[in-house]
Amino acid sequence: MSELSLRTSLIPVTDPEAGLRLTEIFYSLQGEALTSGLPTIFVRLTGCPLRCVYCDTEYAFSGGERHSLEAIITTIKSYPCKRICLTGGEPLAQPNAIELMQRLLNEGYEISLETAGALTVENVPPTVSKVMDLKTPSSGEVDKNLWSNLDYLTAHDQIKFVIMNRADYEWAKEKLLEHQLDKLVGTVWFSPMFNVAEDVADSKAISSPEVPLLARELAEWMLADALPVRFQLQLHKIIWADAKGK
C-alpha cells in the first residue's frame, strides 16, 4: 500500500498557508516514553489512516478545526512550558506538521513526535525525538508498518510496541532481534494494551483504573527473556483514566 493512499481527502495536504486541522491543544503531564512525568504541551492533530483495535483517541479521527500555523504557535506560547508532544491521530498524515515542527524548533521548543510508523519519517527534523510505533499483529494494522522508516531512526529516537497477548510479545521479540532495534534507537518500549473501559468526561468522576493483568504477565515475560527493552505503563491513564485533555 502506498503512503499516499494512507491519506484521506479530509486531511489538508496543501501548502503551509493552509495550516493544520487540529483536534486539541492542552497542557498536562507526559504519560509515556522518556519524558514521562514532565509537564508537556500536547498538540493533537486530526485524522489518522490507521484503525488499531486498541485506539484510545478515536475522537481525533475526524472533525477538528483548521488553524493557521501562527495561531497554533500563539496558543502554544500561552502555556508555561517549552516541551511539546505532537500527536494525533497521526500527525504525519498532514504534511504541514513538518513545517510546524521546524517553526517550533526555531522558537526554542523541545519536541517529541508520536507516530504510528505507517508514513515516512524521512523529513522529520533530526532534533525532534521520534516515538514510533511498530504495530503488532493484534493491532489489526501490522501490514501498515513502513519498515524503511528504520533507516531514518537514530539514538535520539524511540520505538514502541503495544502488546496485547503472548503472540504479540513473541512477534515483537522477533522484530527486536531481527533488526537489532535496541542498537538502532535510544530506547525500545514494550507497553501492555491499557484501555480504560469508559471515557471519563467529568473530572469529578475520575477514578484510577485497575492496572491490567497483562502488565504483570508482560513484565514476567520480559524478565524471563532478559530483553534489552523498557517496560512502560501509561501514566496519564493511571492518574486520569481516559479523560480528554489529560
Side-chain angles (χ1 to χ4, degrees):
M1 180 176 291
S2 73
E3 181 179 326
L4 203 56
S5 66
L6 290 175
R7 297 200 173 111
T8 76
S9 60
L10 298 177
I11 301 172
V13 291
T14 52
D15 63 89
E17 295 306 314
L20 289 161
R21 187 167 293 278
L22 178 70
T23 293
E24 58 186 350
I25 298 179
F26 61 95
Y27 178 56
S28 186
L29 296 182
Q30 175 59 271
E32 302 184 67
L34 287 176
T35 57
S36 179
L38 291 174
T40 303
I41 303 165
F42 292 83
V43 180
R44 188 181 304 283
L45 300 185
T46 305
C48 185
L50 305 187
R51 292 295 182 267
C52 300
V53 300
Y54 49 69
C55 183
D56 55 5
T57 53
E58 293 181 359
Y59 64 91
F61 285 171
S62 60
E65 295 183 5
R66 182 141 357 146
H67 296 265
S68 69
L69 300 186
E70 292 79 8
I72 293 172
I73 293 172
T74 296
T75 301
I76 288 170
K77 287 181 176 181
S78 71
Y79 294 104
C81 184
K82 297 295 284 187
R83 188 177 301 105
I84 291 173
C85 177
L86 188 63
T87 186
E90 168 52 63
L92 296 180
Q94 300 190 57
N96 288 342
I98 300 293
E99 177 68 17
L100 176 65
M101 285 186 277
Q102 190 56 64
R103 294 191 189 188
L104 288 169
L105 290 171
N106 294 343
E107 295 279 353
Y109 284 90
E110 171 190 333
I111 304 173
S112 64
L113 168 71
E114 293 185 345
T115 178
L119 299 173
T120 183
V121 299
E122 180 180 5
N123 297 317
V124 174
T127 51
V128 170
S129 179
K130 298 179 286 293
V131 184
M132 191 185 83
D133 277 26
L134 285 175
K135 298 301 182 184
T136 55
S138 296
S139 72
E141 296 285 21
V142 67
D143 62 318
K144 303 299 195 309
N145 288 318
L146 186 63
W147 293 99
S148 59
N149 270 335
L150 297 182
D151 295 336
Y152 305 110
L153 300 181
T154 71
H156 184 56
D157 302 317
Q158 304 164 60
I159 288 175
K160 181 181 72 175
F161 293 89
V162 176
I163 308 295
M164 294 187 68
N165 49 45
R166 183 70 193 224
D168 279 354
Y169 172 78
E170 294 296 339
W171 182 89
K173 182 172 69 172
E174 176 187 332
K175 298 305 178 185
L176 170 75
L177 300 175
E178 176 186 349
H179 297 284
Q180 296 289 287
L181 298 178
D182 58 304
K183 297 179 175 61
L184 184 64
V185 297
T187 305
V188 178
W189 300 96
F190 277 20
S191 182
M193 193 276 287
F194 187 13
N195 269 0
V196 179
E198 185 174 345
D199 187 50
V200 179
D202 182 356
S203 61
K204 295 180 181 179
I206 292 175
S207 59
S208 296
E210 293 293 329
V211 174
L213 177 61
L214 176 61
R216 181 181 298 177
E217 294 175 335
L218 176 57
E220 295 291 351
W221 300 337
M222 290 170 58
L223 287 169
D225 289 334
L227 296 182
V229 303
R230 292 181 67 171
F231 175 92
Q232 80 168 354
L233 283 174
Q234 293 169 297
L235 177 64
H236 53 290
K237 292 190 176 182
I238 295 172
I239 300 173
W240 291 295
D242 268 344
K244 295 179 182 179
K246 293 293 185 182

